[in-house]
Amino acid sequence: MPSSLASDYDPASLPDLLPLYYRRLFPFSQYFRWLNYGGVHKNYFMNREFSFTLKDDIYVRYQSFTTQNEMEKEMQKMNPYKIDIGAVYSHKPNQHNTVKSGTFQALEKELVFDIDMTDYDDVRSCCSAADICSKCWPLMTIAIRILDRALRDDFGFQHLLWVYSGRRGVHCWVCDEAARKLSVAARSAVAEYLSLVKGGDETVKKVVLTDPIHPLIRESLAVVEHYFDQYAIQDQDILGRKESIDKVLALTPEDILFTDFQSEKKPGNRWELVKKQASRKQATAKKGQHFEKEIMLQYCYPRLDVNVSKGVNHLLKSPFSVHPKTGRISVPMDLKELDTFDPFAVPTISLICAELDRPRTGEEEEKMEESQDKENEKDAAERRKIRDYKRTSLAKYVKHLDQFLDGMARSWKGELLKKSDLQKEF
Amino acid sequence: MQFGSRRKKLNTDIQTELYGHPLQFYGQPPLENISLTEFETFAVERLKLLKTIENLGVSYVKQSEQYSQKLQSEIKNLNFPYRPEADDRKIQTGPTEYEKRRKDHISHFILRLAYCQTEDLRRWFIQQEVDLFRYRFNHLHPTQKLEFLHKNSLQYDTVSAEEKVILKDKLVNSSYAVSGITVEGQDFYKVPFQDALDLVRTRKVYLKAGYVYIPHQDIVTIVLNDFRTRLSKALALTARSLPAVHSDERLQPLLNHLSHAYVGQDYSIQKNVGKISLEQIDSLSVKSFPLCMRQLHQSLRENHHLRHGGRMQYGLFLKGIGLSLEQAMQFWRSEFVKGKVDADKFDKAYAYSIRHMFGKEGKRTDYTPYSCIKVILSNAPSQGDHHGCPFRHSDPELLKQKLQVYKVSPSGISQILELVKGMHYQLACQKYFELTHNIEDSNFSLSHPNQYFVESQRILSGGKDIKREMDTPKRSQENSAAKGSNTTHEAAANPSQDLADMTDEQIDSFFQDA
C-alpha cells in the first residue's frame, strides 16, 4: 500500500498540502448544506461567524460569507490551518464593526459539547495531557454512548453530529432547531444536568451519589458497567499496582477495611471484593452507600467542558478542519460503528492528498461515469471535486455527513408539510 | 376636581384588588403620589431586605429551617408582609397588613428603577427578588397558592393517571419528595424543560423527550420561572424609560446611590499601585493572602501554569493588591516560561488576556477582583483547576492536611471544619484569618479576598496604617462618584455588549436570564 507511507504526517508539509485540500477535497457542498439548514431562515448562513487560524497562530475572527461560492473562494485564498464555527449573529459578522455597538449580538448556535481527554488525567494511567492511545480511547466511547442517550431520550433532541476532534477528544453538535435557540441559562442547565464528576485537583472524591438515584445516573451506570471490566480492570489495570489501588480505595468509606486485598492477586477478583463490600454495606446502612458506583462513575463518566457548552458565542473547531499537530481531519463519526472507531485510523491530510495522486482503478472509473450521468446539471468543477474526495479515505466520512443531513432534511420537510396542511385547513 | 376624585377612587379599587392577596407578580406599577421621604425609606428598607437575602443565601442552604427563620425575622423587622394568614381585623400594633403590602409593592418598583441600568445590576436584583418570592410563595397556605395561580391565570398541563403508572419508578427516583405511595394521589405537571431549569440543573426532576415532570410541591419552580421572565422583561422596559426618570434631579442621585449599595467595596481602585514589588509576593502569599490565593500562588509556582479560571481569579486579586500592568505581565511571563510555554507563545496566547484584565483590550472594562460570593458560587473548579474557594471546593480531608501544613492548631482546624460543614465558608476563612493572625476577634465581616489582604496588612503593620484608615471614607466616596458616571455611561453604550464578551469574562450564567 503506498498510503501507509503517505500517512506519516509532517507538520512542516501543511502549508503545501492545505491549498490542495481546500481546492479539491474539502466537502464544501455538504458543509454549506449543513449550515444553511434548508434555507428556512434566509440569513442563517450569512450571519454565521467563522474564525480562521492562519500560519504562526494568527487568529482571524468574525469571518462570514454570503454564499457557498464566496466561502470556497475565501478558504482557498486564506488556506486556514484551523477553522472554528461560532454563532449566528444579528448581523453579518464581517461587518460587526459597522453596526452600532451593542446591537451586534449572538442569537443562535448549535448546542455543543467538548470532551477532552486531558480532563481524565487523574484516572488514566497510560497517557497524559494531549496523548491518547487505544487503552484510554474507550473513555470517549463511553462518553458518547452516555451523552447521546441522554440528549435523545431525556431532552428529545434528534440531530446529533458527533465529530472526532483530530487529536484527543470528541465534539457533539446538537443541530435541532430547539437546541440552536436555547438561551445561555438553558445551555448551562443542560450541561450541569449532564455533569456528575465535580471538583478540581483539591478534591479526591469527585462523584457523590445521594438517594434516590436519578434515572440519568442509572442509565449511565448501565453504559459504564458494559465497558468497565474490559476498560478499567483489564486495560487500565486500576487494581493492578499498589499506587493505583490506593487511589481506588481512597474513594471507599474509611470504616471499610480491605484486609484480604493483597492475598487476592487477580485484579478482576479484587473488584469483586469491592463490590461485595459495597453490597454488604448497603444491606446494613440505611442510605447513600454507593461507593462502587461512585468509583465507576469517577473513572468513566464523561467530563464536559461546561464553559464551551454554555456560551452561545463560544467557538468550536469545525468538522473537516485539519488538526495542525496530527494532520488528522476532524471527521464526523458513525455511531453504528462507534465501538470499532479508531482515532489512529482517521485519515491525515497527507494521506488523502497522496491518495489523489494514485492511478484510478477500473471500478472507480465506472462509478465516475455513473455519477456524471446523474448529476450532469452541475458544472464540471463541482463534479471533479465530488470525484476527488470519493477516491480518498475521506469518502466514508463525507457520506456519513450526507446521511446525517438527509435525516435533518426529512425533519424540516415534515415541518413544512405540517405548516402547509394547517394553511389549507383554514 | 370631580375627575381627580374619580381617579383617586379608581386607584383605591386597583389597590384593594392588588393588595387582596399576600403575594403578587408586580404586574401593575403603583399610581399614587408619595412623599420623597417615603420613597427613600421604602427603597432603603427593601434594599436592606434584598441584601439580607443575598447574605443568607451564602451562609445557609436556601429553604432550610435556619434560612427561613432568619429571613422571616428580617422581613418582620423591616415591616414587609411576612405572615400570609395575617388579618387586619385583629388588633395589632405597627403598620397594618394593607400598609405592608403597599410598601412591598411600591418599594419593588422603586428598586426596579435603580437596578435596571446594567446587566450586572439586573442580574443581582432578579436573583434576590426571585429568592424572596420563592420564600413567600412557599409559605403560602395551599389554598392561597391555588388562588394565586388562578388569579394570575397560570395553568399547566397535568400528567394523566395512565402515564403516571407507566412512569412510576422514574418519577419516584427523580425527586426526594415523591414516594411510591404518593405518586397516584399527586398531581404532576408536564412542561418544557426550559421552564424549569433549576430543577433540570440539579437533577431533581424526571426528564423525558424534552419535558420535565414536576410534582405538585415543586410547582414553585415553574411559577418562579414565570416570575423571573416577567421581571427580566420588565427591567429591560424600565431601562428604556430611564432617561425620563433621570431628568428628575431629585430622584437621580438617590437612584444612583441605591444601585451602588449592593456591591460594597469592590477593591478596584487602589492607591498603592506599584507599591508592591514582585519579590514580595512569595512572602506576602504566606503572610497575608487568603487561602484561595495562597493555593493559586503555590500551584502557579509549582506547575508554572494556571488555567483560565485560576488566571482570572488570581490575576485580578493581584491587580487589586496593587500590581501594575507591567508588573503583572512580568510576573506571569517569568513564571510561564519556566514551564512548557516559551516567551513567544506567552505573548501570543496569554499576554492578551492579562491586558484584557486591566481593561486594555476588548471592550476595555476595568475588571474588578472577584468577591467571595463570586468565587464560591460561580465557575466551580474542574480537573486541573486550582481556583475556587478552598473551604467550599476542597475535600474536608485535604483541607485538613493543608491547614496542618500551614501550622494551624488542631483545635483551630476542627473549628474551621465545623464551619465548613455548616457551609459557612466565609466564616471559616475568617476563622483562618483570626488563627493565623493571632487575634481573638477580627472586627470585620469578610466578603472579599482583597479585604482579607488589606486587613492582614493592617494588623501586620501594627496599626501604623491608621492614616490610611482615616481617609478610607473619602476614598469610597470618590469611588462611588466615579462609578456613578461609569455605570450611566455603560448603560448608554448598551449593556448587551456584555453578551459578546461572555467567554472572556466567564460570567457565570447561574443568574442569567432566559
Side-chain angles (χ1 to χ4, degrees):
Chain A
M1 283 289 279
S3 59
S4 66
L5 259 182
S7 71
D8 293 338
Y9 165 77
D10 171 13
S13 65
L14 193 60
D16 299 328
L17 297 173
L18 283 172
L20 187 62
Y21 178 63
Y22 288 117
R23 212 175 62 241
R24 292 181 59 189
L25 291 168
F26 191 91
F28 285 109
S29 97
Q30 286 85 354
Y31 196 72
F32 176 80
R33 188 179 169 212
W34 169 31
L35 295 172
N36 193 41
Y37 287 101
V40 177
H41 304 284
K42 72 179 189 326
N43 294 333
Y44 218 71
F45 181 78
M46 277 193 242
N47 291 351
R48 171 79 73 162
E49 179 191 358
F50 295 87
S51 138
F52 294 156
T53 310
L54 308 178
K55 196 169 179 296
D56 296 325
D57 288 335
I58 295 168
Y59 205 55
V60 229
R61 276 197 73 172
Y62 298 122
Q63 304 292 297
S64 64
F65 316 105
T66 320
T67 59
Q68 180 188 335
N69 202 357
E70 191 186 326
M71 169 175 71
E72 282 182 37
K73 292 234 166 72
E74 218 35 48
M75 287 202 193
Q76 285 160 357
K77 197 174 86 195
M78 317 248 294
N79 292 308
Y81 276 44
K82 178 167 163 256
I83 303 167
D84 285 289
I85 299 180
V88 176
Y89 282 83
S90 50
H91 303 77
K92 287 182 187 174
N94 59 5
Q95 296 173 358
H96 75 282
N97 278 329
T98 66
V99 295
K100 203 173 133 243
S101 85
T103 52
F104 180 68
Q105 285 179 23
L107 301 179
E108 293 188 13
K109 200 189 66 186
E110 293 76 10
L111 171 64
V112 294
F113 295 95
D114 179 10
I115 309 153
D116 194 323
M117 199 70 97
T118 41
D119 291 330
Y120 292 86
D121 276 3
D122 60 327
V123 290
R124 57 183 184 143
S125 55
C126 49
C127 330
S128 66
D131 295 329
I132 56 164
C133 71
S134 59
K135 279 190 181 167
C136 52
W137 186 255
L139 284 170
M140 292 295 134
T141 311
I142 297 170
I144 295 174
R145 290 262 183 253
I146 288 176
L147 296 178
D148 195 70
R149 187 215 61 80
L151 290 167
R152 285 176 201 277
D153 297 355
D154 300 0
F155 290 97
F157 297 129
Q158 293 170 19
H159 304 292
L160 277 59
L161 184 66
W162 286 95
V163 179
Y164 169 55
S165 77
R167 193 181 196 183
R168 58 184 179 199
V170 292
H171 301 154
C172 177
W173 297 79
V174 186
C175 301
D176 297 58
E177 186 172 3
R180 284 180 270 136
K181 288 185 168 11
L182 288 178
S183 67
V184 172
R187 283 165 205 259
S188 92
V190 175
E192 279 175 48
Y193 172 85
L194 295 170
S195 300
L196 264 189
V197 185
K198 298 255 164 85
D201 286 2
E202 320 299 326
T203 320
V204 174
K205 200 161 169 58
K206 295 181 184 172
V207 179
V208 178
L209 298 182
T210 48
D211 285 312
I213 295 185
H214 192 274
L216 168 84
I217 300 174
R218 287 190 188 278
E219 297 282 353
S220 306
L221 269 169
V223 176
V224 173
E225 271 159 14
H226 176 75
Y227 291 94
F228 194 75
D229 191 56
Q230 181 63 44
Y231 161 72
I233 306 297
Q234 311 290 331
D235 292 351
Q236 291 286 334
D237 198 19
I238 61 167
L239 292 174
R241 286 167 300 109
K242 165 113 183 43
E243 208 180 300
S244 54
I245 293 176
D246 288 347
K247 259 171 95 180
V248 175
L249 295 189
L251 304 176
T252 61
E254 276 171 7
D255 56 341
I256 293 187
L257 295 171
F258 289 93
T259 41
D260 36 3
F261 223 70
Q262 290 310 322
S263 56
E264 187 55 74
K265 287 282 174 282
K266 275 195 189 145
N269 295 343
R270 286 176 174 170
W271 179 242
E272 288 304 320
L273 281 178
V274 174
K275 284 205 281 193
K276 210 180 287 168
Q277 288 283 16
S279 62
R280 197 175 300 159
K281 185 87 184 171
Q282 274 141 32
T284 54
K286 266 189 214 143
K287 271 194 158 189
Q289 289 297 337
H290 303 287
F291 62 83
E292 92 288 10
K293 297 189 186 77
E294 289 164 349
I295 293 171
M296 292 168 81
L297 292 170
Q298 177 154 345
Y299 274 80
C300 300
Y301 191 86
R303 298 173 175 208
L304 299 173
D305 186 339
V306 176
N307 289 321
V308 176
S309 306
K310 261 191 209 171
V312 178
N313 59 345
H314 208 291
L315 295 162
L316 188 66
K317 188 174 183 237
S318 163
F320 294 102
S321 176
V322 182
H323 196 292
K325 294 259 162 49
T326 62
R328 282 189 219 116
I329 313 290
S330 181
V331 289
M333 301 165 78
D334 186 351
L335 293 207
K336 287 199 283 299
E337 295 167 12
L338 180 61
D339 286 327
T340 54
F341 181 89
D342 175 6
F344 298 102
V346 168
T348 61
I349 185 169
S350 33
L351 171 72
I352 55 175
C353 287
E355 282 171 341
L356 268 185
D357 296 336
R358 223 169 34 183
R360 294 195 177 93
T361 64
E363 197 187 341
E364 270 174 343
E365 294 284 353
E366 226 169 84
K367 268 195 200 152
M368 230 174 56
E369 301 284 323
E370 235 174 82
S371 70
Q372 253 167 357
D373 287 345
K374 253 192 248 163
E375 308 176 37
N376 48 16
E377 75 278 8
K378 290 193 179 168
D379 65 43
E382 181 76 348
R383 268 206 314 272
R384 208 194 61 210
K385 201 166 347 142
I386 291 173
R387 262 187 352 240
D388 281 346
Y389 81 73
K390 283 197 172 159
R391 286 168 49 213
T392 70
S393 342
L394 203 58
K396 78 169 190 188
Y397 302 104
V398 179
K399 197 174 151 209
H400 180 61
L401 180 59
D402 263 323
Q403 287 164 348
F404 173 77
L405 294 172
D406 289 344
M408 260 199 322
R410 273 194 295 279
S411 85
W412 69 61
K413 256 179 211 149
E415 281 297 306
L416 291 176
L417 270 178
K418 239 188 257 166
K419 262 187 210 160
S420 66
D421 278 0
L422 278 176
Q423 273 165 356
K424 263 177 223 158
E425 265 180 35
F426 297 106
Chain B
M1 199 51 196
Q2 237 180 351
F3 179 77
S5 70
R6 220 178 71 202
R7 180 167 164 176
K8 198 167 179 186
K9 185 165 181 296
L10 200 69
N11 279 350
T12 351
D13 282 352
I14 292 174
Q15 278 168 2
T16 329
E17 167 73 15
L18 265 178
Y19 304 153
H21 198 270
L23 193 57
Q24 57 161 315
F25 255 161
Y26 308 106
Q28 302 281 339
L31 295 169
E32 56 183 308
N33 286 325
I34 63 167
S35 71
L36 263 182
T37 338
E38 202 175 27
F39 184 92
E40 187 165 357
T41 338
F42 278 11
V44 168
E45 292 191 350
R46 192 174 192 94
L47 190 57
K48 265 192 202 155
L49 181 60
L50 297 187
K51 289 275 293 181
T52 309
I53 290 171
E54 184 188 24
N55 290 336
L56 290 176
V58 176
S59 318
Y60 301 97
V61 187
K62 282 175 196 171
Q63 302 172 62
S64 68
E65 191 68 22
Q66 281 168 307
Y67 177 87
S68 296
Q69 269 174 13
K70 301 244 170 188
L71 186 50
Q72 190 192 23
S73 75
E74 185 71 12
I75 295 176
K76 196 170 159 185
N77 284 340
L78 291 170
N79 285 322
F80 282 99
Y82 74 97
R83 276 180 313 177
E85 71 277 10
D87 190 339
D88 275 347
R89 275 169 302 188
K90 278 185 219 153
I91 300 153
Q92 52 185 5
T93 52
T96 62
E97 191 61 21
Y98 175 88
E99 280 163 344
K100 288 179 185 170
R101 289 178 189 175
R102 173 173 166 269
K103 176 176 174 182
D104 171 48
H105 182 216
I106 295 173
S107 64
H108 170 88
F109 274 94
I110 298 175
L111 287 200
R112 273 195 191 180
L113 289 176
Y115 281 80
C116 65
Q117 307 183 30
T118 67
E119 183 73 31
D120 256 1
L121 292 173
R122 285 201 288 261
R123 197 184 307 146
W124 184 84
F125 180 67
I126 291 172
Q127 183 61 32
Q128 313 318 325
E129 282 286 338
V130 164
D131 281 346
L132 175 62
F133 190 93
R134 180 192 293 116
Y135 167 82
R136 292 172 62 190
F137 185 85
N138 279 336
H139 286 77
L140 290 181
H141 197 268
T143 53
Q144 286 176 314
K145 283 188 192 173
L146 285 179
E147 200 182 290
F148 180 83
L149 295 181
H150 180 71
K151 236 181 150 165
N152 292 284
S153 34
L154 302 171
Q155 280 183 336
Y156 308 108
D157 287 343
T158 49
V159 177
S160 71
E162 297 86 60
E163 199 174 0
K164 272 197 286 189
V165 172
I166 298 170
L167 297 174
K168 189 174 170 187
D169 282 352
K170 309 241 154 126
L171 293 175
V172 170
N173 281 328
S174 300
S175 182
Y176 296 100
V178 181
S179 71
I181 312 151
T182 57
V183 168
E184 279 158 55
Q186 204 172 13
D187 266 343
F188 279 81
Y189 303 95
K190 185 174 166 181
V191 298
F193 81 89
Q194 288 93 330
D195 291 344
L197 293 177
D198 285 340
L199 292 177
V200 172
R201 190 194 311 281
T202 49
R203 242 178 274 120
K204 281 190 180 135
V205 70
Y206 178 56
L207 194 55
K208 190 183 159 210
Y211 287 88
V212 287
Y213 291 69
I214 300 179
H216 179 75
Q217 86 264 11
D218 283 340
I219 197 173
V220 61
T221 319
I222 337 177
V223 178
L224 275 180
N225 182 65
D226 228 323
F227 178 61
R228 186 188 280 267
T229 318
R230 286 173 195 224
L231 186 51
S232 171
K233 278 191 192 139
L235 285 177
L237 276 177
T238 313
R240 258 186 256 165
S241 56
L242 209 58
V245 181
H246 271 174
S247 64
D248 188 326
E249 60 200 16
R250 295 167 307 169
L251 296 186
Q252 197 204 346
L254 187 57
L255 292 176
N256 267 338
H257 175 73
L258 284 172
S259 64
H260 290 127
Y262 100 96
V263 269
Q265 169 72 280
D266 68 4
Y267 298 92
S268 60
I269 301 171
Q270 282 292 330
K271 287 207 295 191
N272 45 352
V273 172
K275 284 202 180 147
I276 282 175
S277 72
L278 292 183
E279 292 73 42
Q280 282 175 297
I281 293 181
D282 280 321
S283 72
L284 282 176
S285 79
V286 179
K287 283 188 298 190
S288 288
F289 280 16
L291 207 48
C292 53
M293 300 303 167
R294 188 173 177 178
Q295 173 175 305
L296 281 165
H297 183 74
Q298 206 175 345
S299 47
L300 174 66
R301 287 285 193 234
E302 277 164 18
N303 308 322
H304 312 300
H305 189 267
L306 277 182
R307 307 210 329 175
H308 180 83
R311 292 201 304 275
M312 289 299 284
Q313 185 179 329
Y314 189 40
L316 290 172
F317 170 80
L318 288 176
K319 176 178 144 185
I321 68 170
L323 242 57
S324 66
L325 171 60
E326 292 69 30
Q327 282 181 312
M329 207 55 109
Q330 193 191 341
F331 173 76
W332 291 102
R333 182 188 283 117
S334 63
E335 199 59 49
F336 272 47
V337 295
K338 285 183 204 153
K340 284 188 201 156
V341 178
D342 59 41
D344 193 40
K345 179 157 185 218
F346 181 86
D347 289 341
K348 265 183 203 141
Y350 300 100
Y352 178 94
S353 71
I354 292 164
R355 283 197 302 276
H356 192 263
M357 257 182 234
F358 281 78
K360 304 291 179 207
E361 299 280 0
K363 74 170 179 186
R364 297 181 180 254
T365 306
D366 205 0
Y367 290 99
T368 51
Y370 292 173
S371 66
C372 290
I373 290 180
K374 180 154 178 142
V375 171
I376 291 171
L377 290 182
S378 62
N379 192 22
S382 61
Q383 178 59 35
D385 282 332
H386 297 275
H387 67 265
C389 169
F391 299 99
R392 169 69 184 87
H393 298 115
S394 302
D395 278 350
E397 197 50 37
L398 278 186
L399 181 62
K400 191 172 156 191
Q401 284 171 20
K402 187 163 282 175
L403 293 171
Q404 280 165 348
V405 174
Y406 293 163
K407 306 215 166 49
V408 179
S409 67
S411 72
I413 292 180
S414 62
Q415 285 178 49
I416 290 178
L417 289 179
E418 201 50 44
L419 288 166
V420 168
K421 213 166 150 193
M423 312 219 304
H424 308 293
Y425 309 116
Q426 283 160 277
L427 293 179
C429 189
Q430 189 149 3
K431 179 55 81 181
Y432 171 77
F433 181 94
E434 290 164 6
L435 292 166
T436 48
H437 291 80
N438 277 323
I439 48 167
E440 280 293 315
D441 187 0
S442 43
N443 273 329
F444 65 93
S445 162
L446 183 65
S447 63
H448 202 295
N450 289 75
Q451 180 192 13
Y452 185 108
F453 178 80
V454 170
E455 295 291 344
S456 166
Q457 284 292 294
R458 171 149 48 220
I459 288 173
L460 294 178
S461 60
K464 270 178 269 165
D465 224 316
I466 296 211
K467 195 172 152 281
R468 204 165 102 210
E469 199 183 13
M470 291 276 284
D471 57 26
T472 311
K474 194 172 140 229
R475 191 178 66 198
S476 69
Q477 252 173 27
E478 283 167 9
N479 207 338
S480 79
K483 269 186 333 200
S485 59
N486 242 338
T487 29
T488 30
H489 171 74
E490 258 173 49
N494 207 323
S496 53
Q497 230 181 355
D498 290 4
L499 213 69
D501 274 21
M502 196 88 81
T503 37
D504 302 325
E505 277 181 84
Q506 299 292 314
I507 290 184
D508 129 64
S509 59
F510 246 67
F511 317 127
Q512 187 79 37
D513 212 79

